Amino acid sequence: MGSVDGRVTGRWARAPLAALLGLVAMVTDLDGGRPDHPASFLYFSYGSNLLQQRLRLNNPSAVKVNVGCLKGYKLAFGIHNNTYSRWGGASATIVRSSEDEVWGVVWRLNLSELDSLDKQEGVPDGHYNPIEVIIKQISPGEDQLCRSYQMNVSNYSFPSQIYKEVICTGAKQNGLPAEYVEKLLDIETNSYNGTTPFILDIKEMLNQVKNNLNPLTSFGKVAVSL
């Protein structure tokens, strides 16, 4: 495990959390050892965590670094163990595809929030696996080694409309390329139109985002599930 320009690198994507935290002392100097700059890592989001308000509910340290592109993958929607998520449909994942690319956002998070991010992504339940990906920045600069997540897919299916809306809102919010946003808008969805407390909270969050309000104070449990 090492660091490059403040990025945690090495085999950390598959390291147990306890082992990672045991090495924090080795990376606390990423920003000159300043106490207001704790050890951090880079995370590439491409699904519902494109929406910054959602990501920051359980990971408040998340700061946008830049928009970037993952080459050699395509965006897909799958289900794990033949069970839909609380979103009422399939969830986003990435699948190797040599001629495709996935756009998303690179975030910097405190290393202390790695566990909460893993839980949000369902890593303890085997829903997703953490992986290392190389992200090309939208503007000239070095490639970035980031943590991301890939689903253990049992079947591919359609996402719900509300899930798609969260992804598209996050994509627009962060300035993903217009052509890619158009592709997201063209994603086919299923007919789910649930009114569970989770879905109602998500709808309220979207309304507040569209009205430029701050949903972080009211919906602390929204980001717990995939």
Side-chain angles (χ1 to χ4, degrees):
M1 180 171 169
S3 63
V4 179
D5 295 334
R7 303 194 299 274
V8 178
T9 62
R11 309 305 297 175
W12 54 274
R14 286 173 291 279
L17 177 63
L20 269 172
L21 295 182
L23 292 174
V24 168
M26 295 177 60
V27 295
T28 51
D29 197 42
L30 295 183
D31 291 286
R34 293 171 53 185
D36 58 332
H37 286 74
S40 61
F41 66 97
L42 297 182
Y43 160 56
F44 177 71
S45 67
Y46 55 84
S48 62
N49 275 345
L50 288 173
L51 188 65
Q52 59 182 280
Q53 285 82 358
R54 171 173 161 71
L55 173 61
R56 288 174 178 163
L57 284 174
N58 280 6
N59 307 282
S61 73
V63 175
K64 179 182 175 182
V65 177
N66 55 257
V67 169
C69 179
L70 174 60
K71 299 283 188 179
Y73 284 83
K74 66 179 180 180
L75 184 67
F77 295 88
I79 58 176
H80 174 68
N81 283 345
N82 297 310
T83 303
Y84 281 147
S85 70
R86 291 177 66 186
W87 291 96
S91 299
T93 188
I94 48 177
V95 179
R96 285 195 177 275
S97 179
S98 60
E99 300 302 318
D100 290 298
E101 59 188 26
V102 176
W103 285 88
V105 177
V106 175
W107 308 89
R108 183 182 299 280
L109 283 78
N110 290 350
L111 190 60
S112 61
E113 291 178 359
L114 179 63
D115 191 36
S116 66
L117 183 62
D118 278 356
K119 288 180 179 178
Q120 181 182 334
E121 296 292 343
V123 172
D125 300 324
H127 199 132
Y128 282 80
N129 288 325
I131 62 172
E132 292 176 341
V133 293
I134 302 296
I135 303 301
K136 294 186 176 296
Q137 298 185 53
I138 193 170
S139 55
E142 294 183 0
D143 293 348
Q144 295 171 305
L145 178 66
C146 299
R147 186 182 189 83
S148 196
Y149 297 86
Q150 189 173 38
M151 184 188 295
N152 291 312
V153 177
S154 54
N155 284 296
Y156 292 97
S157 188
F158 299 112
S160 63
Q161 177 61 35
I162 187 68
Y163 187 71
K164 171 184 171 180
E165 187 174 354
V166 169
I167 292 175
C168 292
T169 301
K172 295 175 183 177
Q173 180 187 65
N174 286 291
L176 268 61
E179 289 185 6
Y180 188 77
V181 173
E182 287 299 319
K183 290 182 179 179
L184 295 178
L185 291 171
D186 287 338
I187 292 171
E188 185 175 353
T189 61
N190 62 26
S191 59
Y192 178 77
N193 190 28
T195 56
T196 66
F198 173 75
I199 295 298
L200 292 177
D201 277 353
I202 291 293
K203 289 182 177 180
E204 181 63 22
M205 172 182 281
L206 286 171
N207 287 336
Q208 293 196 24
V209 169
K210 291 174 183 177
N211 291 324
N212 295 318
L213 299 176
N214 182 6
L216 296 181
T217 59
S218 302
F219 303 100
K221 296 183 179 180
V222 171
V224 172
S225 298
L226 297 168

